[in-house]
Amino acid sequence: MSHKILLVDDERMIIEVLEAYLQKEGYQVFCADNGLDALRKADSVKPDFIVLDLMLPDISGEEVCRLLRKESDVPIMMLTAKSGEDERINGIVIGADDYVTKPFSPKEVVVRTQAILRRTRMGEQADGQLSFNSKELVIDLLKKEILLNGHGISVTPIEYRLLSNMAKYPGRVYSRMDLLDKIQEDGFSYEGYERSIDTHIKNLRKKIETDARDPKYILTVFGMGYKFGGVPDAKNAAF
């Protein structure tokens, strides 16, 4: 089954060009020209990837991204005419996985889309395991266990939720607020502050990193938050 992609932009020409390029690659493409329609279609279509313009006629792309992130981890690529560093950082902080500045090459958007979809699916296995760095780190999503070099390690429920959520999307940057939201999903109640995430990350690094001062799994992205840096095992790919 081909991936479903939602294009959100109020410029008809951009929609038509990207739709043609993505359909040529075999993707199912759905389109919206405003934020409210984008949210409705995201809810009904359940896309695998969203290309989202920041300048929309009703609500901003930033707000659409924030609302989507409350419900979904779907990868999001932002399109914008703004090229400043602050805008790019803000886009990533609020939950975007990539950021493309207009004018852009449609081929570049397609290649980036393919790369992100490949990356986000690399760690998913039919048996509910995520495996990284030649099975050095294995996360069993069904048993809720973490194995390091074949041995189970003891983690707190919060540490497990932090690691498992980040590992599902290697390379994606999570702000501290994103991670707070993640550990409070599915009925899990946690009273904490954004900076308390730093303490949990520090403790988790001590358990899974060879050198907690030079981590390879939980990486700090200065000024933004954290990302998972493990390399998904090739056999995990869903293709």
Side-chain angles (χ1 to χ4, degrees), residues 138-147 152-153 155 160:
V138 176
I139 303 171
D140 191 316
L141 301 175
L142 300 179
K143 297 180 180 179
K144 298 188 183 299
E145 294 178 346
I146 297 174
L147 302 176
I153 62 172
V155 296
Y160 171 81

Side-chain angles (χ1 to χ4, degrees), residues 27-45:
Y27 295 114
Q28 297 181 61
V29 182
F30 302 83
C31 304
D33 60 8
N34 62 74
L36 291 177
D37 191 31
L39 292 170
R40 284 193 291 266
K41 287 185 176 176
D43 183 59
S44 61
V45 171

Side-chain angles (χ1 to χ4, degrees), residues 121-125 129-132 232-239:
R121 300 209 34 154
M122 281 288 284
E124 299 177 11
Q125 291 182 328
Q129 285 190 341
L130 306 177
S131 176
F132 303 93
D233 291 334
K235 73 170 191 173
N236 293 354
F239 323 113

Side-chain angles (χ1 to χ4, degrees), residues 30 35 47 59 71 122 140 149 163 178 182 185:
F30 302 83
I59 58 178
E71 305 294 333
M122 281 288 284
D140 191 316
N149 293 316
L163 183 61
D178 289 334
K182 289 297 178 189
E185 290 178 348

